């Protein structure tokens, strides 16, 4: 890839975030982090898909505090039986029919479409409106908390909102290279936006062990999209997620994740302020003695320019060796139609390159989104695109004149919880 000349403002930004006066503390914190990563990644590398918590939808309110702590630490969870399997697999059938009726639907790969830039098909509208899907979302939202103990005005974690996203129907045997390990919800913004940066203030002050990925306050006003790049969410999603419409097992094109969100956050956020003193790939690259504090360059490893903005974080084995991604990116266990998988908004995740199964691997992307002032404003704008059959505000506009047969409508959203989540009026009998 062509090298990128980082603007000097990013060097100024680095020096603003951490001054030379904090070098000793940050270096001690970095060394402690690398020691913890060595132990934790060794543990993760020995585990498999069942390392991720798996909970029945019916049992969400029965978990012990210890079980909740495990879920928070690993940052990824499989929730079983959110939707009846027949209904979920029926949505897949309906989406196949929609695609046949609308062959002009945008997606990729261009010659064999499997990831579709579609948002308002009837199955998607119905799935997002399903009361159990919304209740699971509210449960996930409530894993977050306000440090002060008082919820900010306009915030209700028990009121879920809808964020329209896409779906994929991945065919067997097709190599998939488009989703390597990455983090959603903000690239350079994690450092550049002052509010977003405050989410990681303990890490940046040399106290990474105090970092709480579920602390709510600064998330509410964090700007995750400073550059207006299409497909960059402007809302606060507590968890990214998808609903399975087919049976999918490891090696069949499923999700992979790094199962320790606090550790990966600490490493990703501190990484731009340290550089290796040995070559990438050196057998001594993991030794803390071969890394030093350095704010002499403007680059942010794992962040790359894209159009008018940036993509990432996208950690790689060369740039982020201590994550040991080749050993620690863990596939989620087998899912069945109606199961949902959710991962914290900061989790490093990817999609398996291979699909060794015999049937389609089909999921709808449905994140957990709480009621906040920022999210509520977005839902109002999103509703107008729904009613017009247009792409949602965070996504690129469809080609002019594009219309589809079989889109969802207001009448497909019936329950009060569902209508409130979409910003639709609730009829009073």
């Amino acid at each position: 890839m062509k090298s990128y000349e980082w603007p000097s403002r990013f060097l100024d930004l680095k020096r603003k975030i951490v001054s030379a006066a904090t070098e000793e503390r940050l270096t001690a914190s970095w060394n402690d982090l690398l020691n913890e990563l060595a132990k934790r990644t060794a543990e993760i590398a020995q585990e498999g898909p069942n390392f991720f918590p798996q909970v029945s939808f019916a049992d969400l309110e029965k978990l012990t505090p210890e079980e909740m702590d495990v879920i928070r630490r690993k940052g990824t969870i499989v929730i079983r039986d959110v939707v009846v399997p027949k209904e979920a697999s029926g949505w897949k059938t309906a989406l196949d029919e929609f695609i046949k009726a609308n062959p002009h639907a945008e997606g990729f790969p261009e010659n064999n479409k499997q990831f579709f830039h579609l948002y308002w098909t009837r199955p998607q509208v119905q799935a997002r409106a399903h009361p159990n899907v919304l209740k699971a979302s509210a449960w996930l939202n409530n894993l977050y908390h306000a440090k002060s103990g008082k919820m900010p005005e306009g915030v209700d974690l028990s009121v879920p909102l809808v964020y329209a996203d896409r779906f994929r129907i991945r065919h067997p045997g097709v190599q998939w290279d488009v989703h390597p390990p990455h983090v959603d919800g903000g690239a350079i913004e994690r450092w550049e936006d002052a509010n977003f940066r405050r989410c990681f203030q303990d890490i940046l002050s040399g106290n990474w062990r105090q970092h709480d990925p579920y602390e709510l306050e600064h998330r509410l006003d964090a700007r995750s999209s400073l550059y207006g790049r299409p497909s960059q969410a402007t809302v606060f999603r507590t968890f990214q997620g998808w609903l399975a419409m087919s049976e999918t097992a490891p090696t069949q094109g499923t999700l992979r994740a790094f199962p320790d969100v606090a550790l990966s956050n600490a490493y990703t956020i501190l990484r731009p302020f340290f550089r290796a003193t040995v070559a990438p790939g050196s057998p001594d690259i993991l030794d803390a003695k071969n890394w030093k504090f350095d704010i002499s360059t403007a680059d942010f490893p794992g962040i790359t320019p894209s159009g008018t903005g940036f993509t990432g974080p996208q950690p790689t084995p060369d740039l982020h060796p201590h994550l040991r991604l080749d050993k620690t990116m863990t596939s989620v266990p087998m899912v069945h139609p109606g199961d949902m998988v959710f991962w914290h908004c900061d989790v490093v995740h990817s999609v398996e390159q291979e699909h060794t199964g015999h049937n389609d691997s089909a999921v709808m992307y449905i994140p957990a989104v709480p009621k906040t002032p920022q999210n509520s404003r977005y839902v109002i704008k999103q509703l107008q695109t729904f009613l017009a059959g247009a792409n949602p505000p965070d996504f690129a506009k469809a080609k002019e004149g594009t219309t589809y047969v079989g889109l969802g409508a207001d009448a497909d959203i019936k329950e009060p919880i569902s209508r409130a989540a979409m910003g639709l009026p609730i009829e009073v009998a």
Side-chain angles (χ1 to χ4, degrees):
M1 178 180 168
K2 183 181 177 183
S3 62
Y4 174 64
E5 187 71 33
W6 282 80
S8 60
R9 74 175 188 275
F10 289 107
L11 178 57
D12 297 336
L13 174 65
K14 271 192 179 181
R15 291 172 174 171
K16 175 183 176 183
I17 294 172
V18 291
S19 69
T22 63
E23 178 178 347
E24 185 176 352
R25 173 181 283 186
L26 280 175
T27 299
S29 182
W30 172 257
N31 291 343
D32 178 47
L33 172 62
L34 297 193
N35 183 56
E36 189 66 25
L37 269 170
K39 292 186 289 187
R40 189 81 177 119
T41 55
E43 176 189 349
I44 293 168
Q46 296 301 313
E47 301 290 343
N50 288 324
F51 191 57
F52 290 114
Q54 303 170 57
V55 182
S56 168
F57 174 77
D59 294 334
L60 287 177
E61 302 299 337
K62 303 174 185 176
L63 299 177
T64 66
E66 293 76 19
E67 289 170 324
M68 297 288 282
D69 285 343
V70 170
I71 290 167
R72 286 190 179 94
R73 178 163 62 88
K74 295 183 178 178
T76 300
I77 181 174
V78 179
I79 305 180
R80 304 285 187 190
D81 302 315
V82 179
V83 176
V84 174
K86 184 178 180 181
E87 186 171 13
S89 58
W91 286 331
K92 196 265 184 184
T93 301
L95 287 172
D96 285 331
E97 293 170 353
F98 182 95
I99 294 161
K100 288 177 184 174
N102 297 274
H104 58 289
E106 291 187 53
F108 67 83
E110 184 62 38
N111 60 347
N112 185 15
K113 294 175 188 173
Q114 299 171 56
F115 187 99
F116 293 89
H117 299 296
L118 294 168
Y119 307 88
W120 302 120
T121 67
R122 184 166 288 116
Q124 288 170 286
V125 171
Q126 292 172 335
R128 296 182 200 120
H130 195 290
N132 285 5
V133 171
L134 291 168
K135 288 172 185 174
S137 176
W139 182 85
L140 290 156
N141 293 338
N142 276 285
L143 292 177
Y144 284 70
H145 59 90
K147 186 181 287 187
S148 67
K150 182 181 179 183
M151 203 54 62
E153 186 176 351
V155 176
D156 191 336
L157 299 180
S158 296
V159 175
L161 299 180
V162 162
Y163 182 79
D165 206 330
R166 296 149 293 185
F167 65 90
R168 64 169 165 82
I169 300 177
R170 186 172 169 187
H171 307 320
V174 177
Q175 188 77 0
W176 196 271
D177 299 319
V178 291
H179 293 122
H182 66 285
V183 181
D184 291 327
I188 192 65
E189 288 87 353
R190 290 168 183 270
W191 296 269
E192 189 175 8
D193 179 65
N195 285 331
F196 208 160
R197 190 166 67 241
R198 289 189 188 101
C199 297
F200 312 108
Q201 59 191 4
D202 286 322
I203 298 170
L204 292 166
S205 62
N207 297 301
W208 74 265
R209 288 183 182 272
Q210 301 302 313
H211 171 60
D212 181 359
Y214 297 89
E215 209 289 300
L216 192 62
E217 182 182 0
H218 300 302
R219 301 270 180 184
L220 299 176
D221 297 317
R223 293 182 298 167
S224 57
S225 181
L226 293 176
Y227 296 90
R229 186 171 59 82
S231 302
Q232 178 63 68
T234 59
V235 302
F236 167 45
R237 299 172 291 186
T238 58
F239 283 75
Q240 266 281 48
W242 49 244
L243 170 77
M245 298 180 287
S246 65
E247 192 174 273
T248 303
T251 77
Q252 296 178 2
T254 197
L255 178 85
R256 307 179 86 193
F258 181 91
D260 194 314
V261 63
L263 269 181
S264 58
N265 267 357
Y267 186 69
T268 303
I269 292 298
L270 282 180
R271 175 64 182 85
F273 307 100
F274 290 85
R275 68 173 175 85
T277 57
V278 295
S282 164
D284 300 317
I285 191 74
L286 299 183
D287 193 327
K289 294 195 299 291
N290 295 319
W291 289 78
K292 65 176 292 186
F293 181 79
D294 181 12
I295 51 173
S296 65
T297 62
D299 63 312
F300 284 73
I303 304 296
T304 54
S306 176
T308 58
F310 299 84
T311 60
Q314 188 171 308
T316 67
D318 278 350
L319 294 175
H320 300 78
H322 300 92
L323 291 179
R324 296 179 63 201
L325 295 171
D326 57 331
K327 304 286 187 185
T328 57
M329 290 300 290
T330 306
S331 300
V332 297
M334 175 176 284
V335 292
H336 306 276
D339 293 342
M340 295 192 75
V341 177
F342 290 95
W343 57 101
H344 184 283
C345 56
D346 292 336
V347 160
V348 177
H349 62 286
S350 64
V351 176
E352 291 178 331
Q353 290 184 313
E354 72 278 10
H355 180 355
T356 63
H358 302 290
N359 300 300
D360 290 341
S361 168
V363 305
M364 280 189 220
Y365 293 96
I366 304 177
V369 178
K371 180 184 177 183
T372 72
Q374 175 179 289
N375 290 352
S376 295
R377 288 191 294 270
Y378 180 85
V379 165
I380 291 170
K381 293 187 292 182
Q382 178 182 256
L383 176 59
Q384 301 311 310
T385 65
F386 167 61
L387 297 174
N391 290 358
D394 274 350
F395 299 89
K397 292 182 179 180
K399 293 176 183 175
E400 191 171 349
T402 301
T403 58
Y404 297 109
V405 177
L407 292 180
D410 184 321
D412 294 309
I413 307 172
K414 298 180 173 61
E415 299 292 331
I417 187 177
S418 314
R419 295 185 67 80
M422 271 293 293
L424 286 164
I426 300 172
E427 297 178 11
V428 179

